[in-house]
Amino acid sequence: MIRLTGVELRRLVARRLVMLGVAAVLGVTVLMLAAAWWNSRPLSAEDQQQAKAQFETAHADWVKNHEKYDKECRDSYASQPDPKPPVEEMCNYTEPTLDQWGKPQTVFTEVMPELLQGSSYLLAFAAFLIGASFVGAEFSSGSIGNWLTFEPRRMRVYASKLAAVAIGMVPVVVVTLAILLAGTYLIVAELGVTAGTTGKVWGNLLETSGRAMVVVAVAGAVGGVLALLLRHTAAAIGVIMGYVVLVEAVFGSILAQVQPWLVRLNFDAWLKHGTTYYVQNCKSTPEGYYNCESIEKSLSFEHGAWYLGIGTVLLLALGAFVFQRRDVT
Amino acid sequence: MTDLAISTRGLRKTYRTRRGKRVVAVQGLDLDVPVGGVHGFLGPNGSGKTTSIRMLLGLIRADAGAMALFGRPVPEHLPEVVSRVGAIVESPKFFPAFTGRKNLELLADAIGAPRRRVGEVLEETSLGERGKDRFKTYSLGMKQRLAIAATLLKEPDLLIFDEPTNGLDPAGIREIRETMRSLGEQGRTVLVSSHILAEVEQVADTVSIIGHGRLLASGPVSEVIGGTGKTTVKLVIDDREAATSVLTAAGLTVRAEGNYLVVDGAPDPADITRRLAQRELYVAELVPVRADLESVFLELTADEGLAAGDGTIGGQR
Ligand SMILES: Nc1ncnc2c1ncn2[C@@H]1O[C@H](COP(=O)(O)OP(=O)(O)OP(=O)(O)O)[C@@H](O)[C@H]1O
Ligand SMILES: [Mg+2]
């Protein structure tokens, strides 16, 4: 079994399509870093000059008038309509600072989780394609029949192929996310704010990366199983695309309540250790108005973990059952 | 039991097509292949040769019946004997984008064969330098040789070749034939399936003939093919009418075929020339007609009193 997995890994690495896929993932990662750099770039000297001028005007105004404004505010507080914030909050004229003008600075702890999430989607998709083509190629070329005359124990053959895809994705995830984390940190350290990036923040980012690694490895294996069930790479990709568009995107947006049972939200819940979504809550008021409001709901990490876990196990079992019994011609 | 490399009893397989139609591919096949030498597995197209081979190799499930390789029941014990069996089923199938060598290396690694075997089998099948090229650039003959090389990785005791000369030119056919001969002479067992009798006749020690998924005849080549002990000859003679009456009177069957008279049932050709010469009828040309698969097949099915197209041919052993 270990030997077979080793052979399958060697085949995985020797496939040109796999190498192209990995290169594409790294290419997109570099683009993401370029976008992060672009977004955290400081303003041009001219724009900075303008921001500074506006700040100075505002500051001069404050120096001259803040005591007057304060007094006016407190005097009129009593006549303001309820409800109103407490007086200290309402009549608080603090000294303006320069960073309130111009472009807000990029904060590492804010942008990094989003980048990680985007990169995980990309990696999972790439893993699915790699897994599907790795297994699909054997069925469409017919070489699986030849392979089985060398190793007739089908469960070993099945397990070794999926294990190879899953294991093969691990270094891809590690390298990609390491580049993304380190690259973004260096860019933001240079151009933005990295303050507050405590050990705990790093710990959370690493945990998210670890969960991304697991889900990407699973996506590779799922690609393999689908290609095995459908006997074709293209069929597996077509089915998943159709599912994503019709069920996840169209159906999910028409009927927001079903989102907790769709893959995407559970993927987020797993990756981000819990996530939120919105549903419209509409009702008729006693006055006869029909009102809708958006309510935020949350989906727990456990929900995502169980959903993805059970789905994966069922799919793997179905693949094993079909492959064990299938006539290979 | 263990002196048989392959043995099947009552093997059956029915395919279900997409439209739900059932095709009986193999119906109660009893096949015995002795250890050592080349065994021909003959049958017309669609008679169930490939299907039988696939069942033996565990690629498809049998509906009923028992099979054994070297006395071990399969598919249950296939993992134990598979290292002794090399097989090519239909056309050779490898990873098209990998080189011949890479394909063999992966297979060698999968069975734990030493890497040097790869070089050795490439040499043995005279693929040597072409091993560096991608499989998809190979000619049919080279693909066939690579497939043989792959089977040799295991140093198998039994080789199963399903129509190995399909699509090859005469030189390629001869090469494969010599390979099979030499494998047989090394004491290995070679099962070669074909629908061309002449091809198998030249290499096989024993044959089995199947039709409609059943065994029709089995045994040493000379017995099965020359099984009737009678010869058929074609001859050219001036006075065809006189010749016909002479030979018919001697109890032989005679019919006209173009310029020739075809004579069936003579114990040997000399008997015909002697009878005609006694009446001063001289043969201008005489060609012994070698039995072909079709005629042997027709004869075998006729013996059963059944037409060849009838799906209920009885077995004869
Ligand atoms: N995958 C399949 N699905 C349905 N029917 C099949 C399948 N494979 C073979 N058959 C049918 O089973 C019968 C036996 O086919 P098989 O390929 O075993 O014959 P064969 O003796 O190998 O013929 P050939 O000499 O043409 O290779 C044929 O009638 C064929 O149409
Ligand atoms: Mg065939």
Side-chain angles (χ1 to χ4, degrees), chain A residues 3 7 10-11 14 138 141-143 145-150 152-154 325 327-329, chain B residues 13 54 58-61 78-79 82 93-95 98 106-107 109-112 115 150 154:
Chain A
R3 184 168 71 201
V7 178
R10 232 163 292 148
R11 181 167 76 84
E138 288 195 274
S141 74
S143 49
N146 191 31
W147 193 252
L148 288 174
T149 66
F150 282 75
R153 286 167 293 196
R154 295 208 183 174
R325 303 178 54 88
D327 283 355
V328 176
T329 56
Chain B
K13 176 72 188 181
R54 286 209 169 103
L59 294 176
I60 62 180
R61 301 173 148 247
L78 192 57
V82 78
K93 282 160 188 145
F94 291 95
F95 294 108
F98 289 170
L106 290 172
L107 290 168
D109 291 352
I111 58 170
R115 279 288 179 93
K154 303 186 193 178

mmCIF file of all heavy atoms in Angstrom, chain A residues 3 7 10-11 14 138 141-143 145-150 152-154 325 327-329, chain B residues 13 54 58-61 78-79 82 93-95 98 106-107 109-112 115 150 154:
data_model
loop_
_atom_site.group_PDB
_atom_site.id
_atom_site.type_symbol
_atom_site.label_atom_id
_atom_site.label_comp_id
_atom_site.label_asym_id
_atom_site.label_seq_id
_atom_site.Cartn_x
_atom_site.Cartn_y
_atom_site.Cartn_z
ATOM 1 N N ARG A 3 3.981 1.254 -0.877
ATOM 2 C CA ARG A 3 4.722 1.206 -2.137
ATOM 3 C C ARG A 3 3.856 1.731 -3.283
ATOM 4 O O ARG A 3 4.293 2.542 -4.089
ATOM 5 C CB ARG A 3 5.142 -0.240 -2.409
ATOM 6 C CG ARG A 3 6.000 -0.371 -3.646
ATOM 7 C CD ARG A 3 6.632 -1.727 -3.727
ATOM 8 N NE ARG A 3 5.666 -2.758 -4.038
ATOM 9 C CZ ARG A 3 5.842 -4.049 -3.780
ATOM 10 N NH1 ARG A 3 6.943 -4.457 -3.193
ATOM 11 N NH2 ARG A 3 4.936 -4.920 -4.109
ATOM 12 N N VAL A 7 4.363 4.916 -5.804
ATOM 13 C CA VAL A 7 4.367 4.861 -7.270
ATOM 14 C C VAL A 7 3.392 5.899 -7.833
ATOM 15 O O VAL A 7 3.700 6.616 -8.784
ATOM 16 C CB VAL A 7 3.981 3.454 -7.766
ATOM 17 C CG1 VAL A 7 3.936 3.420 -9.279
ATOM 18 C CG2 VAL A 7 4.962 2.424 -7.255
ATOM 19 N N ARG A 10 4.790 9.278 -7.678
ATOM 20 C CA ARG A 10 5.788 9.503 -8.727
ATOM 21 C C ARG A 10 5.089 9.817 -10.049
ATOM 22 O O ARG A 10 5.527 10.655 -10.821
ATOM 23 C CB ARG A 10 6.666 8.254 -8.869
ATOM 24 C CG ARG A 10 8.135 8.570 -8.798
ATOM 25 C CD ARG A 10 8.943 7.323 -8.528
ATOM 26 N NE ARG A 10 8.689 6.819 -7.190
ATOM 27 C CZ ARG A 10 8.715 5.524 -6.868
ATOM 28 N NH1 ARG A 10 8.984 4.608 -7.791
ATOM 29 N NH2 ARG A 10 8.483 5.150 -5.639
ATOM 30 N N ARG A 11 3.975 9.120 -10.275
ATOM 31 C CA ARG A 11 3.235 9.389 -11.506
ATOM 32 C C ARG A 11 2.612 10.785 -11.464
ATOM 33 O O ARG A 11 2.605 11.505 -12.456
ATOM 34 C CB ARG A 11 2.135 8.331 -11.697
ATOM 35 C CG ARG A 11 1.342 8.521 -12.962
ATOM 36 C CD ARG A 11 0.511 7.298 -13.271
ATOM 37 N NE ARG A 11 -0.669 7.154 -12.450
ATOM 38 C CZ ARG A 11 -1.832 7.762 -12.712
ATOM 39 N NH1 ARG A 11 -1.951 8.541 -13.767
ATOM 40 N NH2 ARG A 11 -2.857 7.589 -11.940
ATOM 41 N N ALA A 14 5.148 13.299 -12.275
ATOM 42 C CA ALA A 14 5.624 13.231 -13.657
ATOM 43 C C ALA A 14 4.614 13.784 -14.654
ATOM 44 O O ALA A 14 4.924 13.972 -15.819
ATOM 45 C CB ALA A 14 5.963 11.778 -14.009
ATOM 46 N N GLU A 138 -6.536 7.703 -16.505
ATOM 47 C CA GLU A 138 -6.340 6.259 -16.523
ATOM 48 C C GLU A 138 -7.532 5.530 -17.080
ATOM 49 O O GLU A 138 -7.409 4.494 -17.714
ATOM 50 C CB GLU A 138 -6.141 5.764 -15.096
ATOM 51 C CG GLU A 138 -4.835 6.151 -14.540
ATOM 52 C CD GLU A 138 -4.567 5.351 -13.312
ATOM 53 O OE1 GLU A 138 -5.021 5.780 -12.251
ATOM 54 O OE2 GLU A 138 -3.952 4.288 -13.427
ATOM 55 N N SER A 141 -7.740 6.466 -20.980
ATOM 56 C CA SER A 141 -6.709 5.818 -21.803
ATOM 57 C C SER A 141 -6.791 4.300 -21.690
ATOM 58 O O SER A 141 -6.203 3.580 -22.478
ATOM 59 C CB SER A 141 -5.315 6.275 -21.383
ATOM 60 O OG SER A 141 -4.947 5.672 -20.154
ATOM 61 N N GLY A 142 -7.510 3.786 -20.716
ATOM 62 C CA GLY A 142 -7.637 2.335 -20.559
ATOM 63 C C GLY A 142 -6.473 1.718 -19.810
ATOM 64 O O GLY A 142 -6.434 0.508 -19.608
ATOM 65 N N SER A 143 -5.504 2.553 -19.376
ATOM 66 C CA SER A 143 -4.338 1.958 -18.726
ATOM 67 C C SER A 143 -4.675 1.387 -17.349
ATOM 68 O O SER A 143 -3.900 0.608 -16.807
ATOM 69 C CB SER A 143 -3.205 2.966 -18.637
ATOM 70 O OG SER A 143 -3.682 4.169 -18.120
ATOM 71 N N GLY A 145 -6.825 -0.860 -16.785
ATOM 72 C CA GLY A 145 -6.945 -2.314 -16.983
ATOM 73 C C GLY A 145 -5.585 -2.983 -16.880
ATOM 74 O O GLY A 145 -5.410 -3.998 -16.211
ATOM 75 N N ASN A 146 -4.610 -2.381 -17.534
ATOM 76 C CA ASN A 146 -3.254 -2.903 -17.489
ATOM 77 C C ASN A 146 -2.719 -2.858 -16.055
ATOM 78 O O ASN A 146 -2.108 -3.804 -15.565
ATOM 79 C CB ASN A 146 -2.378 -2.058 -18.422
ATOM 80 C CG ASN A 146 -1.020 -2.675 -18.657
ATOM 81 O OD1 ASN A 146 -0.888 -3.893 -18.650
ATOM 82 N ND2 ASN A 146 -0.019 -1.849 -18.842
ATOM 83 N N TRP A 147 -2.976 -1.749 -15.384
ATOM 84 C CA TRP A 147 -2.518 -1.566 -14.001
ATOM 85 C C TRP A 147 -3.082 -2.671 -13.112
ATOM 86 O O TRP A 147 -2.381 -3.219 -12.265
ATOM 87 C CB TRP A 147 -2.970 -0.187 -13.521
ATOM 88 C CG TRP A 147 -2.324 0.280 -12.253
ATOM 89 C CD1 TRP A 147 -2.915 0.372 -11.036
ATOM 90 C CD2 TRP A 147 -0.975 0.712 -12.091
ATOM 91 N NE1 TRP A 147 -2.014 0.841 -10.120
ATOM 92 C CE2 TRP A 147 -0.817 1.051 -10.725
ATOM 93 C CE3 TRP A 147 0.114 0.831 -12.956
ATOM 94 C CZ2 TRP A 147 0.391 1.516 -10.218
ATOM 95 C CZ3 TRP A 147 1.312 1.287 -12.441
ATOM 96 C CH2 TRP A 147 1.445 1.624 -11.092
ATOM 97 N N LEU A 148 -4.360 -2.991 -13.320
ATOM 98 C CA LEU A 148 -5.004 -4.007 -12.481
ATOM 99 C C LEU A 148 -4.461 -5.411 -12.747
ATOM 100 O O LEU A 148 -4.596 -6.289 -11.893
ATOM 101 C CB LEU A 148 -6.518 -3.990 -12.693
ATOM 102 C CG LEU A 148 -7.243 -2.778 -12.098
ATOM 103 C CD1 LEU A 148 -8.708 -2.791 -12.485
ATOM 104 C CD2 LEU A 148 -7.096 -2.743 -10.586
ATOM 105 N N THR A 149 -3.832 -5.631 -13.890
ATOM 106 C CA THR A 149 -3.216 -6.948 -14.087
ATOM 107 C C THR A 149 -1.901 -7.033 -13.302
ATOM 108 O O THR A 149 -1.329 -8.101 -13.166
ATOM 109 C CB THR A 149 -2.945 -7.277 -15.573
ATOM 110 O OG1 THR A 149 -1.958 -6.382 -16.073
ATOM 111 C CG2 THR A 149 -4.217 -7.186 -16.393
ATOM 112 N N PHE A 150 -1.426 -5.890 -12.822
ATOM 113 C CA PHE A 150 -0.232 -5.906 -11.977
ATOM 114 C C PHE A 150 -0.600 -5.879 -10.498
ATOM 115 O O PHE A 150 0.099 -6.451 -9.681
ATOM 116 C CB PHE A 150 0.681 -4.722 -12.322
ATOM 117 C CG PHE A 150 1.485 -4.959 -13.573
ATOM 118 C CD1 PHE A 150 0.888 -4.882 -14.819
ATOM 119 C CD2 PHE A 150 2.820 -5.305 -13.501
ATOM 120 C CE1 PHE A 150 1.615 -5.135 -15.967
ATOM 121 C CE2 PHE A 150 3.557 -5.564 -14.643
ATOM 122 C CZ PHE A 150 2.949 -5.478 -15.883
ATOM 123 N N PRO A 152 -4.116 -6.565 -8.639
ATOM 124 C CA PRO A 152 -5.564 -6.799 -8.734
ATOM 125 C C PRO A 152 -6.351 -6.416 -7.490
ATOM 126 O O PRO A 152 -7.580 -6.414 -7.553
ATOM 127 C CB PRO A 152 -5.662 -8.304 -8.997
ATOM 128 C CG PRO A 152 -4.391 -8.870 -8.498
ATOM 129 C CD PRO A 152 -3.362 -7.798 -8.468
ATOM 130 N N ARG A 153 -5.680 -6.095 -6.400
ATOM 131 C CA ARG A 153 -6.425 -5.720 -5.183
ATOM 132 C C ARG A 153 -6.942 -4.300 -5.344
ATOM 133 O O ARG A 153 -6.225 -3.329 -5.133
ATOM 134 C CB ARG A 153 -5.527 -5.866 -3.957
ATOM 135 C CG ARG A 153 -5.309 -7.333 -3.595
ATOM 136 C CD ARG A 153 -4.201 -7.501 -2.599
ATOM 137 N NE ARG A 153 -2.912 -7.152 -3.172
ATOM 138 C CZ ARG A 153 -1.752 -7.494 -2.640
ATOM 139 N NH1 ARG A 153 -1.720 -8.164 -1.515
ATOM 140 N NH2 ARG A 153 -0.634 -7.141 -3.223
ATOM 141 N N ARG A 154 -8.204 -4.229 -5.720
ATOM 142 C CA ARG A 154 -8.740 -2.942 -6.156
ATOM 143 C C ARG A 154 -8.804 -1.900 -5.059
ATOM 144 O O ARG A 154 -8.622 -0.717 -5.326
ATOM 145 C CB ARG A 154 -10.135 -3.141 -6.750
ATOM 146 C CG ARG A 154 -10.078 -3.971 -7.990
ATOM 147 C CD ARG A 154 -11.205 -3.623 -8.908
ATOM 148 N NE ARG A 154 -11.165 -4.492 -10.071
ATOM 149 C CZ ARG A 154 -12.088 -4.514 -11.001
ATOM 150 N NH1 ARG A 154 -13.135 -3.735 -10.883
ATOM 151 N NH2 ARG A 154 -11.974 -5.323 -12.033
ATOM 152 N N ARG A 325 -16.702 -3.258 -7.711
ATOM 153 C CA ARG A 325 -17.592 -4.118 -8.480
ATOM 154 C C ARG A 325 -17.523 -3.898 -9.977
ATOM 155 O O ARG A 325 -18.073 -4.673 -10.744
ATOM 156 C CB ARG A 325 -19.041 -3.876 -8.037
ATOM 157 C CG ARG A 325 -19.269 -4.085 -6.568
ATOM 158 C CD ARG A 325 -20.697 -3.773 -6.226
ATOM 159 N NE ARG A 325 -21.619 -4.527 -7.059
ATOM 160 C CZ ARG A 325 -22.065 -5.736 -6.759
ATOM 161 N NH1 ARG A 325 -21.711 -6.304 -5.638
ATOM 162 N NH2 ARG A 325 -22.881 -6.378 -7.570
ATOM 163 N N ASP A 327 -16.844 -3.641 -13.895
ATOM 164 C CA ASP A 327 -16.164 -4.359 -14.964
ATOM 165 C C ASP A 327 -15.243 -3.382 -15.683
ATOM 166 O O ASP A 327 -15.692 -2.356 -16.179
ATOM 167 C CB ASP A 327 -17.181 -4.907 -15.977
ATOM 168 C CG ASP A 327 -17.894 -6.155 -15.464
ATOM 169 O OD1 ASP A 327 -17.525 -6.637 -14.374
ATOM 170 O OD2 ASP A 327 -18.800 -6.651 -16.148
ATOM 171 N N VAL A 328 -13.961 -3.701 -15.701
ATOM 172 C CA VAL A 328 -13.002 -2.838 -16.386
ATOM 173 C C VAL A 328 -12.733 -3.417 -17.764
ATOM 174 O O VAL A 328 -12.155 -4.488 -17.889
ATOM 175 C CB VAL A 328 -11.687 -2.729 -15.577
ATOM 176 C CG1 VAL A 328 -10.673 -1.911 -16.354
ATOM 177 C CG2 VAL A 328 -11.955 -2.098 -14.231
ATOM 178 N N THR A 329 -13.221 -2.738 -18.776
ATOM 179 C CA THR A 329 -13.024 -3.266 -20.140
ATOM 180 C C THR A 329 -12.218 -2.292 -20.978
ATOM 181 O O THR A 329 -12.058 -1.155 -20.591
ATOM 182 C CB THR A 329 -14.360 -3.539 -20.847
ATOM 183 O OG1 THR A 329 -15.112 -2.338 -20.841
ATOM 184 C CG2 THR A 329 -15.118 -4.635 -20.157
ATOM 185 N N LYS B 13 -20.796 -15.371 -18.674
ATOM 186 C CA LYS B 13 -20.850 -13.915 -18.543
ATOM 187 C C LYS B 13 -21.894 -13.352 -19.503
ATOM 188 O O LYS B 13 -21.884 -13.660 -20.689
ATOM 189 C CB LYS B 13 -19.486 -13.287 -18.871
ATOM 190 C CG LYS B 13 -19.482 -11.781 -18.849
ATOM 191 C CD LYS B 13 -19.573 -11.229 -17.438
ATOM 192 C CE LYS B 13 -19.757 -9.720 -17.427
ATOM 193 N NZ LYS B 13 -19.822 -9.192 -16.056
ATOM 194 N N ARG B 54 -10.544 -11.609 -19.710
ATOM 195 C CA ARG B 54 -10.784 -10.564 -18.710
ATOM 196 C C ARG B 54 -11.284 -11.165 -17.393
ATOM 197 O O ARG B 54 -10.922 -10.705 -16.317
ATOM 198 C CB ARG B 54 -11.817 -9.564 -19.215
ATOM 199 C CG ARG B 54 -11.257 -8.654 -20.272
ATOM 200 C CD ARG B 54 -11.959 -7.313 -20.233
ATOM 201 N NE ARG B 54 -11.252 -6.358 -21.077
ATOM 202 C CZ ARG B 54 -11.668 -6.002 -22.279
ATOM 203 N NH1 ARG B 54 -12.777 -6.489 -22.777
ATOM 204 N NH2 ARG B 54 -10.970 -5.147 -22.994
ATOM 205 N N GLY B 58 -9.546 -11.087 -13.520
ATOM 206 C CA GLY B 58 -10.255 -10.326 -12.495
ATOM 207 C C GLY B 58 -10.668 -8.939 -12.944
ATOM 208 O O GLY B 58 -11.001 -8.099 -12.118
ATOM 209 N N LEU B 59 -10.629 -8.686 -14.248
ATOM 210 C CA LEU B 59 -11.022 -7.358 -14.715
ATOM 211 C C LEU B 59 -12.537 -7.231 -14.780
ATOM 212 O O LEU B 59 -13.081 -6.153 -14.582
ATOM 213 C CB LEU B 59 -10.422 -7.071 -16.099
ATOM 214 C CG LEU B 59 -8.904 -6.974 -16.128
ATOM 215 C CD1 LEU B 59 -8.401 -6.780 -17.544
ATOM 216 C CD2 LEU B 59 -8.441 -5.816 -15.258
ATOM 217 N N ILE B 60 -13.209 -8.346 -15.093
ATOM 218 C CA ILE B 60 -14.665 -8.332 -15.046
ATOM 219 C C ILE B 60 -15.126 -9.529 -14.221
ATOM 220 O O ILE B 60 -14.399 -10.507 -14.063
ATOM 221 C CB ILE B 60 -15.313 -8.349 -16.459
ATOM 222 C CG1 ILE B 60 -14.957 -9.615 -17.218
ATOM 223 C CG2 ILE B 60 -14.889 -7.150 -17.261
ATOM 224 C CD1 ILE B 60 -15.563 -9.662 -18.602
ATOM 225 N N ARG B 61 -16.339 -9.434 -13.707
ATOM 226 C CA ARG B 61 -16.853 -10.486 -12.839
ATOM 227 C C ARG B 61 -17.572 -11.524 -13.661
ATOM 228 O O ARG B 61 -18.347 -11.185 -14.541
ATOM 229 C CB ARG B 61 -17.889 -9.919 -11.876
ATOM 230 C CG ARG B 61 -17.370 -8.852 -11.029
ATOM 231 C CD ARG B 61 -18.493 -8.238 -10.250
ATOM 232 N NE ARG B 61 -17.939 -7.812 -8.993
ATOM 233 C CZ ARG B 61 -18.254 -8.351 -7.834
ATOM 234 N NH1 ARG B 61 -19.180 -9.266 -7.734
ATOM 235 N NH2 ARG B 61 -17.650 -7.948 -6.741
ATOM 236 N N LEU B 78 -6.444 -14.434 -6.703
ATOM 237 C CA LEU B 78 -5.677 -13.779 -7.757
ATOM 238 C C LEU B 78 -4.435 -13.048 -7.241
ATOM 239 O O LEU B 78 -3.363 -13.165 -7.833
ATOM 240 C CB LEU B 78 -6.596 -12.828 -8.537
ATOM 241 C CG LEU B 78 -6.038 -12.285 -9.851
ATOM 242 C CD1 LEU B 78 -5.666 -13.420 -10.792
ATOM 243 C CD2 LEU B 78 -7.049 -11.364 -10.509
ATOM 244 N N PRO B 79 -4.542 -12.322 -6.125
ATOM 245 C CA PRO B 79 -3.353 -11.618 -5.647
ATOM 246 C C PRO B 79 -2.153 -12.541 -5.416
ATOM 247 O O PRO B 79 -1.012 -12.112 -5.569
ATOM 248 C CB PRO B 79 -3.825 -10.996 -4.321
ATOM 249 C CG PRO B 79 -5.291 -10.809 -4.497
ATOM 250 C CD PRO B 79 -5.739 -11.979 -5.316
ATOM 251 N N VAL B 82 -0.996 -13.550 -9.231
ATOM 252 C CA VAL B 82 -0.883 -12.541 -10.284
ATOM 253 C C VAL B 82 0.568 -12.260 -10.659
ATOM 254 O O VAL B 82 0.872 -11.932 -11.802
ATOM 255 C CB VAL B 82 -1.626 -11.240 -9.875
ATOM 256 C CG1 VAL B 82 -0.819 -10.421 -8.888
ATOM 257 C CG2 VAL B 82 -1.972 -10.415 -11.107
ATOM 258 N N LYS B 93 -2.309 -0.777 -23.581
ATOM 259 C CA LYS B 93 -2.740 0.512 -23.051
ATOM 260 C C LYS B 93 -1.786 1.007 -21.984
ATOM 261 O O LYS B 93 -1.630 0.385 -20.950
ATOM 262 C CB LYS B 93 -4.152 0.405 -22.489
ATOM 263 C CG LYS B 93 -5.175 0.411 -23.614
ATOM 264 C CD LYS B 93 -6.488 -0.147 -23.199
ATOM 265 C CE LYS B 93 -7.391 -0.284 -24.407
ATOM 266 N NZ LYS B 93 -8.247 -1.447 -24.322
ATOM 267 N N PHE B 94 -1.158 2.130 -22.300
ATOM 268 C CA PHE B 94 -0.231 2.746 -21.356
ATOM 269 C C PHE B 94 -0.545 4.230 -21.261
ATOM 270 O O PHE B 94 -1.433 4.722 -21.957
ATOM 271 C CB PHE B 94 1.209 2.543 -21.838
ATOM 272 C CG PHE B 94 1.661 1.110 -21.769
ATOM 273 C CD1 PHE B 94 1.574 0.279 -22.877
ATOM 274 C CD2 PHE B 94 2.148 0.588 -20.585
ATOM 275 C CE1 PHE B 94 1.976 -1.046 -22.808
ATOM 276 C CE2 PHE B 94 2.552 -0.738 -20.507
ATOM 277 C CZ PHE B 94 2.468 -1.545 -21.617
ATOM 278 N N PHE B 95 0.231 4.935 -20.415
ATOM 279 C CA PHE B 95 0.029 6.383 -20.325
ATOM 280 C C PHE B 95 0.665 7.011 -21.551
ATOM 281 O O PHE B 95 1.878 6.922 -21.738
ATOM 282 C CB PHE B 95 0.651 6.924 -19.050
ATOM 283 C CG PHE B 95 -0.034 6.422 -17.830
ATOM 284 C CD1 PHE B 95 0.571 5.494 -17.002
ATOM 285 C CD2 PHE B 95 -1.321 6.841 -17.538
ATOM 286 C CE1 PHE B 95 -0.079 5.003 -15.886
ATOM 287 C CE2 PHE B 95 -1.981 6.358 -16.421
ATOM 288 C CZ PHE B 95 -1.365 5.434 -15.607
ATOM 289 N N PHE B 98 3.740 9.529 -21.231
ATOM 290 C CA PHE B 98 4.987 9.087 -20.605
ATOM 291 C C PHE B 98 5.802 8.273 -21.601
ATOM 292 O O PHE B 98 5.247 7.659 -22.507
ATOM 293 C CB PHE B 98 4.699 8.205 -19.385
ATOM 294 C CG PHE B 98 4.135 8.946 -18.197
ATOM 295 C CD1 PHE B 98 3.641 8.243 -17.110
ATOM 296 C CD2 PHE B 98 4.111 10.326 -18.161
ATOM 297 C CE1 PHE B 98 3.118 8.914 -16.014
ATOM 298 C CE2 PHE B 98 3.597 11.008 -17.072
ATOM 299 C CZ PHE B 98 3.099 10.291 -15.991
ATOM 300 N N LEU B 106 7.125 2.596 -13.687
ATOM 301 C CA LEU B 106 6.001 2.679 -12.750
ATOM 302 C C LEU B 106 5.461 1.277 -12.450
ATOM 303 O O LEU B 106 5.180 0.939 -11.297
ATOM 304 C CB LEU B 106 4.896 3.560 -13.335
ATOM 305 C CG LEU B 106 5.212 5.059 -13.422
ATOM 306 C CD1 LEU B 106 4.138 5.796 -14.198
ATOM 307 C CD2 LEU B 106 5.359 5.654 -12.027
ATOM 308 N N LEU B 107 5.347 0.464 -13.493
ATOM 309 C CA LEU B 107 4.831 -0.893 -13.279
ATOM 310 C C LEU B 107 5.800 -1.723 -12.443
ATOM 311 O O LEU B 107 5.396 -2.466 -11.540
ATOM 312 C CB LEU B 107 4.570 -1.580 -14.619
ATOM 313 C CG LEU B 107 3.389 -1.020 -15.415
ATOM 314 C CD1 LEU B 107 3.383 -1.546 -16.843
ATOM 315 C CD2 LEU B 107 2.070 -1.365 -14.726
ATOM 316 N N ASP B 109 7.942 -0.629 -10.266
ATOM 317 C CA ASP B 109 7.876 -0.163 -8.881
ATOM 318 C C ASP B 109 6.633 -0.711 -8.180
ATOM 319 O O ASP B 109 6.666 -1.054 -6.999
ATOM 320 C CB ASP B 109 7.851 1.368 -8.829
ATOM 321 C CG ASP B 109 9.173 1.971 -9.263
ATOM 322 O OD1 ASP B 109 10.126 1.186 -9.451
ATOM 323 O OD2 ASP B 109 9.255 3.199 -9.420
ATOM 324 N N ALA B 110 5.526 -0.755 -8.941
ATOM 325 C CA ALA B 110 4.271 -1.205 -8.327
ATOM 326 C C ALA B 110 4.372 -2.644 -7.843
ATOM 327 O O ALA B 110 3.768 -3.008 -6.837
ATOM 328 C CB ALA B 110 3.127 -1.069 -9.320
ATOM 329 N N ILE B 111 5.130 -3.489 -8.576
ATOM 330 C CA ILE B 111 5.230 -4.885 -8.152
ATOM 331 C C ILE B 111 6.531 -5.145 -7.407
ATOM 332 O O ILE B 111 6.837 -6.286 -7.048
ATOM 333 C CB ILE B 111 5.116 -5.855 -9.354
ATOM 334 C CG1 ILE B 111 6.188 -5.570 -10.393
ATOM 335 C CG2 ILE B 111 3.726 -5.784 -9.959
ATOM 336 C CD1 ILE B 111 6.287 -6.624 -11.473
ATOM 337 N N GLY B 112 7.309 -4.101 -7.200
ATOM 338 C CA GLY B 112 8.548 -4.265 -6.454
ATOM 339 C C GLY B 112 9.647 -4.974 -7.230
ATOM 340 O O GLY B 112 10.557 -5.560 -6.648
ATOM 341 N N ARG B 115 14.662 -2.065 -10.656
ATOM 342 C CA ARG B 115 14.672 -1.159 -11.801
ATOM 343 C C ARG B 115 15.462 -1.707 -12.985
ATOM 344 O O ARG B 115 15.168 -1.408 -14.136
ATOM 345 C CB ARG B 115 15.250 0.193 -11.390
ATOM 346 C CG ARG B 115 14.264 1.106 -10.697
ATOM 347 C CD ARG B 115 13.246 1.647 -11.687
ATOM 348 N NE ARG B 115 12.268 2.503 -11.038
ATOM 349 C CZ ARG B 115 12.386 3.835 -10.939
ATOM 350 N NH1 ARG B 115 13.437 4.442 -11.456
ATOM 351 N NH2 ARG B 115 11.462 4.541 -10.332
ATOM 352 N N ALA B 150 6.340 -5.277 -20.767
ATOM 353 C CA ALA B 150 5.695 -5.078 -19.461
ATOM 354 C C ALA B 150 5.352 -6.419 -18.820
ATOM 355 O O ALA B 150 5.568 -6.621 -17.622
ATOM 356 C CB ALA B 150 4.432 -4.229 -19.620
ATOM 357 N N LYS B 154 7.556 -9.224 -14.729
ATOM 358 C CA LYS B 154 7.271 -10.130 -13.609
ATOM 359 C C LYS B 154 8.000 -11.460 -13.736
ATOM 360 O O LYS B 154 7.893 -12.281 -12.848
ATOM 361 C CB LYS B 154 5.774 -10.454 -13.581
ATOM 362 C CG LYS B 154 4.836 -9.300 -13.487
ATOM 363 C CD LYS B 154 3.434 -9.860 -13.335
ATOM 364 C CE LYS B 154 2.355 -8.844 -13.545
ATOM 365 N NZ LYS B 154 1.019 -9.440 -13.438
#
